[in-house]
Amino acid sequence: MLFAIHGVDRQGALDTRLAHYEAHKAFLSDTSAFGVEIVMSGPLVADDGTTMIGSLFLIEAPDRAAVEAFNAADPFRKADIWERVTITGFLRRQG
Protein backbone atom coordinates (compact mmCIF):
# COMPACT_ATOMS: atom_id res chain seq x y z
CA MET A 1 0.00 0.00 0.00
CA LEU A 2 1.14 3.56 -0.61
CA PHE A 3 1.46 6.10 2.19
CA ALA A 4 2.26 9.81 2.12
CA ILE A 5 4.37 11.26 4.91
CA HIS A 6 4.03 15.03 5.15
CA GLY A 7 6.34 16.73 7.65
CA VAL A 8 6.29 20.46 8.33
CA ASP A 9 9.38 21.96 9.96
CA ARG A 10 9.31 23.87 13.22
CA GLN A 11 9.77 27.62 12.92
CA GLY A 12 13.51 28.35 12.77
CA ALA A 13 14.50 24.71 12.19
CA LEU A 14 16.53 25.29 9.02
CA ASP A 15 19.95 25.30 10.74
CA THR A 16 19.08 22.07 12.59
CA ARG A 17 17.79 20.55 9.35
CA LEU A 18 21.02 21.38 7.55
CA ALA A 19 23.11 19.99 10.43
CA HIS A 20 21.31 16.62 10.14
CA TYR A 21 20.88 16.58 6.35
CA GLU A 22 23.70 14.12 5.57
CA ALA A 23 22.52 11.67 8.26
CA HIS A 24 18.97 11.96 6.91
CA LYS A 25 20.12 11.20 3.33
CA ALA A 26 22.21 8.25 4.53
CA PHE A 27 19.20 6.90 6.44
CA LEU A 28 17.02 7.14 3.31
CA SER A 29 19.57 5.27 1.20
CA ASP A 30 18.62 1.89 2.72
CA THR A 31 15.08 1.37 3.99
CA SER A 32 15.18 -2.44 3.88
CA ALA A 33 15.30 -2.81 7.67
CA PHE A 34 11.81 -1.33 7.82
CA GLY A 35 10.31 -3.26 4.90
CA VAL A 36 9.41 -0.04 3.09
CA GLU A 37 10.40 1.43 -0.26
CA ILE A 38 10.61 5.12 -1.04
CA VAL A 39 8.68 5.80 -4.25
CA MET A 40 9.65 9.48 -4.16
CA SER A 41 10.74 12.00 -1.59
CA GLY A 42 12.07 15.49 -1.26
CA PRO A 43 11.98 18.70 0.70
CA LEU A 44 9.02 21.03 0.79
CA VAL A 45 10.14 24.57 0.01
CA ALA A 46 8.96 28.10 0.72
CA ASP A 47 7.57 30.28 -2.04
CA ASP A 48 11.13 31.39 -2.86
CA GLY A 49 11.62 27.90 -4.32
CA THR A 50 14.77 27.12 -2.33
CA THR A 51 14.27 27.46 1.44
CA MET A 52 13.45 24.01 2.86
CA ILE A 53 10.44 24.05 5.19
CA GLY A 54 9.43 20.40 5.43
CA SER A 55 9.51 16.96 3.83
CA LEU A 56 7.26 14.84 1.64
CA PHE A 57 7.60 11.10 1.08
CA LEU A 58 5.58 8.62 -0.92
CA ILE A 59 6.25 5.20 0.63
CA GLU A 60 5.33 1.68 -0.46
CA ALA A 61 4.80 -0.39 2.68
CA PRO A 62 2.91 -3.45 3.89
CA ASP A 63 1.06 -1.42 6.54
CA ARG A 64 0.94 1.82 8.49
CA ALA A 65 2.98 0.37 11.36
CA ALA A 66 5.97 -0.11 9.04
CA VAL A 67 5.71 3.52 7.89
CA GLU A 68 5.46 4.76 11.46
CA ALA A 69 8.55 2.75 12.47
CA PHE A 70 10.47 4.08 9.45
CA ASN A 71 9.50 7.67 10.21
CA ALA A 72 10.30 7.35 13.92
CA ALA A 73 13.85 6.27 13.07
CA ASP A 74 14.53 9.16 10.68
CA PRO A 75 17.31 11.46 11.96
CA PHE A 76 15.08 14.46 11.23
CA ARG A 77 12.39 13.02 13.51
CA LYS A 78 14.93 12.25 16.22
CA ALA A 79 16.29 15.82 15.97
CA ASP A 80 12.73 17.16 16.42
CA ILE A 81 12.89 19.15 13.19
CA TRP A 82 9.28 18.53 12.20
CA GLU A 83 6.58 20.39 14.08
CA ARG A 84 3.90 18.18 12.59
CA VAL A 85 4.00 14.87 10.74
CA THR A 86 0.98 13.38 9.01
CA ILE A 87 0.95 9.83 7.64
CA THR A 88 -1.91 9.12 5.26
CA GLY A 89 -2.81 6.23 2.97
CA PHE A 90 -2.62 7.15 -0.71
CA LEU A 91 -4.37 5.78 -3.79
CA ARG A 92 -2.43 6.48 -6.98
CA ARG A 93 -4.67 7.60 -9.84
CA GLN A 94 -2.17 9.07 -12.28
CA GLY A 95 1.58 9.17 -12.71
Side-chain angles (χ1 to χ4, degrees):
M1 181 172 175
L2 290 172
F3 291 87
I5 303 173
H6 183 260
V8 177
D9 289 1
R10 295 184 181 287
Q11 186 74 15
L14 183 58
D15 288 342
T16 305
R17 170 183 272 274
L18 294 174
H20 291 86
Y21 197 57
E22 291 304 317
H24 170 71
K25 289 192 305 184
F27 170 76
L28 298 181
S29 70
D30 182 9
T31 62
S32 61
F34 302 95
V36 304
E37 179 183 341
I38 298 173
V39 176
M40 67 171 214
S41 68
L44 300 172
V45 295
D47 290 342
D48 65 11
T50 58
T51 304
M52 293 181 281
I53 59 169
S55 303
L56 180 66
F57 304 85
L58 187 58
I59 305 291
E60 178 75 40
D63 53 38
R64 181 183 179 87
V67 179
E68 289 174 348
F70 164 75
N71 182 252
D74 190 311
F76 278 4
R77 187 70 179 241
K78 291 180 175 184
D80 203 29
I81 290 168
W82 295 312
E83 178 178 8
R84 182 177 64 255
V85 174
T86 305
I87 298 173
T88 310
F90 179 77
L91 296 175
R92 177 182 275 172
R93 298 286 189 223
Q94 294 184 14

